[in-house]
Amino acid sequence: MRDRKGTKSPDADSANARSASQRSSRRPPRPPAVGKRRRAQTGCCNCSLGVFLLLAFALVCISLVGFIFYKPWIFLARTPTPIPRPLTPFPGKLVSDLPQFQGDYRERMFWGTYRSVLYLGIRARTPKSLLAGLMWLGVKDNRYSLRHTCEEGDKLTRYAWVRHDGATYGRQEIIDQGLAITTSFMKHEDPKSGYGGDWAVRVAVAEKKRHKEGEQIKTPRQVSLFFYIADEAGSSLKISGGNGKFAAGTANEVGGWELHVKNQETSSASFVGLRCKHTHNLTQLVWQVLEKQARTQGRIELPNAAEKSSNFAAIQVTGVAPLSFDVVFVSGTEKHTVEASERVKNLSGVNLTKRLTEREEMFEKRFQSTFHLQDKVKGEREVEVGRVALSNLLGSIGYFYGQSLIAIPPEYQDSETKDGDVWKYWPAALYTAVPSRSFFPRGFLWDEGFHQLLVSRWDRKMSKEIIAHWFDLLNIDGWIPREQILGDEARSKVPDAFVKQHTSNANPPALFMAIHKLATAFEIEKSLGLPNEEDRVFFERLYPRLEAWFRWFNTSQTGKETSSYYWHGRNAQTKRELNPTTLMSGLDDYPRASHPTDDERHLDLRCWMALAAQSLAKLASIVDAPNEVYVATAAQLTDLDLLNKLHYDAGSGRYLDYGLHTEKVELQRKNFVDPQTGFMQTEVERVVLKPPELGWVPHYGYNSLFPLLMGLLPLDSPMFANQMELLRNETNLWTTFGLRSLATTSSLYMKHNTEHDAPYWRGPVWMNINYLVLSALDHCSKVDGQHSSKCSETYSQLRAHLIRNVVKRYHESGYLWEQYDNANKGKGKGSHPFTGWTSLILLIMSDSY
Ligand SMILES: *[C@@H]1O[C@H](CO)[C@@H](O)[C@H](O)[C@H]1NC(C)=O
Ligand SMILES: *[C@@H]1O[C@H](CO)[C@@H](O)[C@H](O)[C@H]1NC(C)=O
Ligand SMILES: *[C@@H]1O[C@H](CO)[C@@H](O)[C@H](O)[C@H]1NC(C)=O
Ligand SMILES: *[C@@H]1O[C@H](CO)[C@@H](O)[C@H](O)[C@H]1NC(C)=O
Ligand SMILES: *[C@@H]1O[C@H](CO)[C@@H](O)[C@H](O)[C@H]1NC(C)=O
């Protein structure tokens, strides 16, 4: 009935990857070719003229035949320039190509609010999609500005998807300078729709009461909103403008489509159509039109004109709040023109109101039956934070398409390699959750492991598909780029210094937590006689990739001592940092050995490896693969004596890193004469006041908790009891806002790492680690034994602290935050809204681990 062609052709992808690597690879031509040509030339000098002519004639003939029959351009295109190994995809079928992610499922997930970086942005999960989005006119620094991409600088009072199911329905509340803007999104599948179905958006604006009860709002406010649609593939649109059918066209996969806008009579509408070559900055595109209009017409109003072959169309709705308008997208219109207008009626006005209400009720039912918060938290204030945490996590899920930029590894550099040179990873799609729409609107490898703990609870298939996309980015060596900056929208938010990914750098294999959880669920269902065949097939396809991933860690991140590991790639040369960061660990500035060397042993990484080996041992048995090597490796990594030998400081009773370290370092301000300007300058530099020695790195904090978090401490061991005492101590990690990241007794507690880098993992409270602590406590409180009551008491207190603070700060500030202050009032810190792992507060509320 409908066009169901897949988005991806793996062959096309790898062909693109090849040509990309040819462009950017700066390796010299292969030496054998050069050598051969030279030999041929010297040989020719000795030839007689006759032989030469004969040969020349033969050569011409052969070339002619070759030209006709073999098409030399094809031959040329096939000249094998090898793809550098790090840019070679893992050989094997893509996990995201599994039939369970195709067919009806793929179609159901086709459209969505997948443009994470926008306040409201809609696209399809296909590389070149139609892009729809909302902008509105706001004020920034006393000047008009367009709200479009989520910016902390816009200083919105709050914004979040307060309801969102990740697939078919969402409602967002935005409060901006006294205006309450509600955006609702819903999808609707009609038998007559084209591929992916229809969708509708309602934008409603009301004046938020800025005055005291009873007092009248003096000047009704004029508001101006813009809704646009653009074709990334460049196809031109038919723009009719005005109320009703606003724009129409034909798009990849979708076929014929129409976009209808229904605004009220109290508002006016104007439009513009533009031809744009790229879609990097649509804010700018619209802004330039408005500026010109303001200059020439004295009005900030679109000109009611369209350029030839416009592939971008925007409509501006202007009026006095309260006002609202509906946007309806209908597809498959080439076949069913008459029904299309009926479908529009069904998806707008009171009919839309009714449908939105139904969806809202469905969301609520599903939310309650999934998390059961009504029996677990105090009241509606808490429950609402739970809904928002989930909804904004799901509503921020994005679909990205593009190529990561890879720093050329030293072994591939040569005299021709220039500073700015990069490689491009193969073009690929990534469907993923994101930590924060304003600050981190793209995929982050270790964050995703935490996100999926919650997503899988809501929708297992969605979670599996996200995991599938991540593992499809694995290269032949078993490496996955840590930060995924795919496509213009993702790129627009990343400072240049952070764009390049390093093939030697790791990031915690936290996705194993999510996979472990899925595997456990599978085993339970199987033991009940209900094995989930789709899950089994998923694990089967995923398994070789997980093995490669494990192998990459197990070979590239090892330490000197047997069974020890460290995060490779710390900067041992820097003089700018008080303690060289370890971005690969995810705990960025968490203090490690002051002097990075290959003697280091990093506790957290070794514990992650224990989790990974255990997960692989479990999965091997699910997919009937030999598991001995994982069982053996897991046994080694969970062996308490070995763990203690490598990481336990018996003197202090703490689990620690080991390395070349001194506590006596400080940042000092130094004067120097700038050789270029001749002026005196000051610079902050690290000074080592006492030489480092090999030994324990005495910083107690989140890193020290990993043996507990990963379940490596037997409950009857003396270490277990002691770890509990340590974390409960208020001088160490215990606060009434949750566990802080670094003990107050650490020499680097709340210390800046450079003149400008404020403490990040050196004190503040982070939800992801607190969640893991609760998970460990929950486990030990359920095992009969000497600690169960202590565990359960600690569990309840920590849980209560976290919930109380996050809920309080949400209602007070309007946001969920990246971190929370570990002292004073526990205020939210860092980027916001942050509904990445901070959303785990919902699992905490619902006691699910
Ligand atoms: C996009 O354009 C706007 C308005 O001109 C500008 O403020 C913004 O910095 C641009 N963004 C990017 C990523 O270039
Ligand atoms: C409109 O909605 C009604 C009720 O849901 C349905 O019966 C009808 O078929 C729909 N009409 C179209 C054209 O989709
Ligand atoms: C609601 O949908 C029905 C068709 O199901 C249509 O006849 C009616 O006009 C619609 N109402 C509005 C207000 O659009
Ligand atoms: C991991 O590396 C260790 C040390 O080289 C080795 O003994 C072990 O077999 C490896 N494990 C796996 C699963 O490859
Ligand atoms: C808490 O830790 C501090 C610093 O390590 C120590 O001096 C104090 O005795 C501990 N308090 C308790 C109650 O154990």
Side-chain angles (χ1 to χ4, degrees):
M1 171 185 70
R2 295 181 207 155
D3 183 4
R4 285 172 192 277
K5 63 177 176 272
T7 28
K8 271 182 268 145
S9 136
D11 288 344
D13 282 1
S14 51
N16 282 341
R18 255 193 300 282
S19 70
S21 65
Q22 280 162 8
R23 265 200 312 280
S24 49
S25 157
R26 307 199 61 83
R27 307 187 71 185
R30 293 198 303 160
V34 177
K36 251 185 234 149
R37 214 178 304 129
R38 269 203 213 105
R39 238 175 285 126
Q41 278 162 2
T42 45
C44 261
C45 294
N46 302 331
C47 295
S48 73
L49 186 65
V51 174
F52 178 79
L53 284 177
L54 205 72
L55 277 178
F57 180 66
L59 205 68
V60 169
C61 289
I62 291 169
S63 307
L64 210 65
V65 171
F67 190 83
I68 292 161
F69 286 98
Y70 294 102
K71 302 179 184 166
W73 51 91
I74 285 180
F75 180 70
L76 274 179
R78 284 196 192 139
T79 307
T81 304
I83 310 174
R85 203 177 151 81
L87 301 180
T88 310
F90 181 80
K93 290 185 182 163
L94 296 176
V95 190
S96 60
D97 276 353
L98 277 173
Q100 59 186 285
F101 304 125
Q102 311 302 323
D104 289 346
Y105 171 79
R106 180 175 183 275
E107 180 167 6
R108 196 173 82 88
M109 302 300 288
F110 193 65
W111 290 107
T113 54
Y114 299 133
R115 300 173 70 197
S116 314
V117 67
L118 301 187
Y119 290 120
L120 174 69
I122 296 157
R123 69 168 294 140
R125 301 199 316 177
T126 187
K128 294 243 180 254
S129 170
L130 287 173
L131 305 176
L134 177 74
M135 301 181 190
W136 69 95
L137 206 54
V139 175
K140 188 174 189 168
D141 306 326
N142 293 320
R143 306 171 73 166
Y144 281 120
S145 93
L146 280 176
R147 308 279 198 242
H148 182 218
T149 53
C150 301
E151 305 289 341
E152 284 179 11
D154 288 347
K155 301 203 171 85
L156 266 50
T157 309
R158 64 192 213 89
Y159 62 98
W161 289 102
V162 294
R163 305 289 182 273
H164 205 300
D165 66 8
T168 64
Y169 170 69
R171 174 164 66 88
Q172 176 174 228
E173 282 177 9
I174 300 170
I175 298 184
D176 181 16
Q177 294 171 330
L179 286 179
I181 304 173
T182 306
T183 66
S184 308
F185 168 76
M186 70 164 276
K187 294 200 287 192
H188 177 71
E189 267 189 63
D190 190 277
K192 300 197 178 85
S193 317
Y195 188 82
D198 304 333
W199 50 261
V201 167
R202 169 163 294 168
V203 179
V205 187
E207 187 107 13
K208 183 107 179 112
K209 257 192 231 126
R210 285 180 296 173
H211 302 257
K212 286 190 208 109
E213 288 283 337
E215 207 177 315
Q216 276 206 329
I217 293 166
K218 290 183 189 87
T219 43
R221 249 209 297 178
Q222 179 110 345
V223 293
S224 228
L225 300 109
F226 305 79
F227 196 91
Y228 67 82
I229 188 147
D231 191 326
E232 253 187 320
S235 303
S236 51
L237 318 178
K238 265 201 350 243
I239 304 171
S240 355
N243 215 337
K245 184 161 107 183
F246 166 62
T250 307
N252 285 341
E253 303 197 54
V254 172
W257 59 267
E258 290 175 11
L259 189 81
H260 291 248
V261 178
K262 304 242 168 187
N263 61 315
Q264 302 148 321
E265 281 150 18
T266 52
S267 57
S268 68
S270 56
F271 72 95
V272 72
L274 300 165
R275 176 82 207 157
C276 54
K277 286 201 198 68
H278 56 73
T279 48
H280 316 317
N281 194 340
L282 296 174
T283 323
Q284 190 170 34
L285 193 73
V286 173
W287 185 244
Q288 280 168 352
V289 174
L290 293 175
E291 271 190 323
K292 183 163 171 231
Q293 287 292 107
R295 238 183 1 254
T296 57
Q297 311 294 317
R299 280 198 306 271
I300 302 186
E301 190 179 276
L302 294 176
N304 287 320
E307 284 176 9
K308 222 174 129 207
S309 317
S310 295
N311 62 331
F312 174 95
I315 184 166
Q316 176 179 12
V317 175
T318 301
V320 167
L323 75 81
S324 81
F325 62 91
D326 296 340
V327 178
V328 185
F329 176 90
V330 285
S331 56
T333 53
E334 75 280 19
K335 290 171 248 161
H336 307 283
T337 15
V338 182
E339 291 86 348
S341 62
E342 286 303 308
R343 278 190 274 146
V344 171
K345 279 189 199 150
N346 255 359
L347 284 176
S348 54
V350 289
N351 288 335
L352 179 60
T353 308
K354 192 164 147 258
R355 283 167 194 267
L356 291 174
T357 310
E358 280 167 17
R359 298 294 175 104
E360 186 92 359
E361 285 162 6
M362 279 163 64
F363 173 91
E364 186 58 25
K365 272 206 193 114
R366 184 170 165 197
F367 182 81
Q368 285 186 13
S369 65
T370 310
F371 301 104
H372 308 285
L373 294 195
Q374 51 285 11
D375 324 324
K376 296 182 185 273
V377 291
K378 275 200 212 133
E380 182 54 25
R381 263 168 73 82
E382 284 76 18
V383 176
E384 184 59 10
V385 173
R387 291 189 196 101
V388 173
L390 174 75
S391 300
N392 203 53
L393 172 69
L394 296 173
S396 310
I397 289 178
Y399 172 93
F400 303 89
Y401 190 87
Q403 291 172 276
S404 289
L405 300 185
I406 311 292
I408 302 176
E411 62 271 29
Y412 288 89
Q413 293 179 9
D414 59 42
S415 55
E416 283 178 59
T417 311
K418 290 196 285 299
D419 232 13
D421 286 352
V422 286
W423 277 345
K424 284 187 170 174
Y425 220 51
W426 62 88
L430 179 63
Y431 170 57
T432 184
V434 306
S436 156
R437 280 155 73 197
S438 60
F439 216 78
F440 303 113
R442 54 189 174 277
F444 287 80
L445 183 55
W446 91 297
D447 293 67
E448 208 51 40
F450 291 94
H451 299 161
Q452 292 317 310
L453 296 174
L454 179 51
V455 174
S456 66
R457 189 66 202 270
W458 178 250
D459 187 330
R460 204 194 290 187
K461 193 154 181 172
M462 190 189 292
S463 184
K464 282 193 296 178
E465 201 199 357
I466 289 175
I467 293 170
H469 272 90
W470 274 97
F471 281 96
D472 286 347
L473 293 165
L474 189 88
N475 77 2
I476 193 169
D477 292 323
W479 174 76
I480 304 174
R482 156 160 65 103
E483 189 169 336
Q484 291 289 330
I485 309 161
L486 305 178
D488 291 338
E489 274 177 14
R491 177 71 181 79
S492 70
K493 284 279 188 165
V494 190
D496 289 343
F498 296 104
V499 172
K500 281 194 255 175
Q501 303 297 303
H502 295 265
T503 56
S504 53
N505 286 4
N507 201 207
L511 279 166
F512 272 114
M513 294 188 302
I515 293 164
H516 201 90
K517 209 169 162 183
L518 288 171
T520 307
F522 174 85
E523 283 182 334
I524 291 171
E525 288 168 6
K526 193 173 167 197
S527 70
L528 297 173
L530 303 162
N532 182 322
E533 183 55 18
E534 277 195 352
D535 282 5
R536 202 190 54 75
V537 172
F538 170 74
F539 292 136
E540 223 165 54
R541 183 71 69 91
L542 189 62
Y543 187 73
R545 289 172 185 268
L546 293 177
E547 285 200 288
W549 204 34
F550 185 88
R551 219 177 300 121
W552 183 84
F553 278 94
N554 201 39
T555 49
S556 72
Q557 306 293 309
T558 45
K560 264 193 192 166
E561 283 285 319
T562 307
S563 194
S564 75
Y565 298 84
Y566 72 98
W567 302 105
H568 288 234
R570 293 181 71 206
N571 184 348
Q573 265 76 50
T574 176
K575 288 186 124 183
R576 289 183 54 249
E577 298 171 64
L578 187 56
N579 184 281
T581 53
T582 316
L583 302 180
M584 332 18 124
S585 73
L587 306 174
D588 300 20
D589 66 345
Y590 185 92
R592 308 280 179 167
S594 61
H595 291 68
T597 63
D598 57 7
D599 286 309
E600 280 192 87
R601 306 203 285 261
H602 290 149
L603 174 60
D604 52 343
L605 179 52
R606 190 174 189 278
C607 297
W608 283 118
M609 293 304 289
L611 168 75
Q614 288 171 306
S615 302
L616 272 164
K618 189 197 267 283
L619 282 166
S621 61
I622 291 179
V623 304
D624 273 334
N627 70 355
E628 295 76 14
V629 64
Y630 297 110
V631 171
T633 304
Q636 193 177 41
L637 288 168
T638 55
D639 180 273
L640 187 64
D641 290 337
L642 191 51
L643 172 69
N644 288 347
K645 177 174 157 268
L646 293 168
H647 288 287
Y648 188 62
D649 171 22
S652 68
R654 297 168 178 199
Y655 282 96
L656 300 170
D657 281 353
Y658 178 90
L660 187 62
H661 184 75
T662 170
E663 284 285 281
K664 301 281 174 228
V665 287
E666 62 184 40
L667 292 177
Q668 287 182 4
R669 205 165 274 280
K670 297 210 160 167
N671 292 329
F672 71 101
V673 179
D674 186 326
Q676 256 147 35
T677 60
F679 286 116
M680 191 71 107
Q681 296 247 341
T682 69
E683 198 178 62
V684 170
E685 204 179 278
R686 180 175 93 166
V687 181
V688 177
L689 302 168
K690 189 176 160 225
E693 286 169 20
L694 276 177
W696 300 120
V697 179
H699 299 288
Y700 177 77
Y702 283 172
N703 186 33
S704 311
L705 302 179
F706 270 79
L708 180 73
L709 304 186
M710 296 298 161
L712 304 180
L713 302 180
L715 298 187
D716 54 6
S717 64
M719 285 80 205
F720 184 87
N722 194 37
Q723 298 316 301
M724 290 282 293
E725 286 311 313
L726 284 172
L727 75 83
R728 284 183 62 100
N729 185 326
E730 289 179 18
T731 317
N732 292 333
L733 307 185
W734 194 261
T735 82
T736 49
F737 317 114
L739 294 172
R740 61 165 72 88
S741 38
L742 189 62
T744 61
T745 49
S746 161
S747 57
L748 292 184
Y749 170 69
M750 290 308 278
K751 283 269 167 61
H752 270 58
N753 198 39
T754 68
E755 189 175 11
H756 305 291
D757 292 326
Y760 201 45
W761 292 86
R762 295 184 179 175
V765 175
W766 294 79
M767 195 58 62
N768 59 338
I769 303 296
N770 275 282
Y771 172 83
L772 294 180
V773 172
L774 284 173
S775 173
L777 293 172
D778 176 62
H779 175 73
C780 79
S781 67
K782 287 175 181 158
V783 176
D784 273 343
Q786 47 176 328
H787 302 302
S788 68
S789 66
K790 187 80 179 170
C791 284
S792 114
E793 182 197 324
T794 310
Y795 173 85
S796 312
Q797 289 173 353
L798 178 56
R799 175 177 177 275
H801 288 164
L802 290 163
I803 294 174
R804 191 185 56 207
N805 194 49
V806 170
V807 168
K808 180 166 177 213
R809 297 304 154 200
Y810 173 78
H811 288 291
E812 168 193 282
S813 69
Y815 291 104
L816 287 158
W817 294 77
E818 182 183 17
Q819 343 140 9
Y820 292 86
D821 202 341
N822 75 98
N824 305 319
K825 301 203 167 98
K827 284 213 167 123
K829 289 171 70 114
S831 56
H832 56 279
F834 191 101
T835 44
W837 58 44
T838 301
S839 301
L840 292 171
I841 195 69
L842 172 55
L843 292 183
I844 293 173
M845 286 181 188
S846 87
D847 295 307
S848 60
Y849 301 96

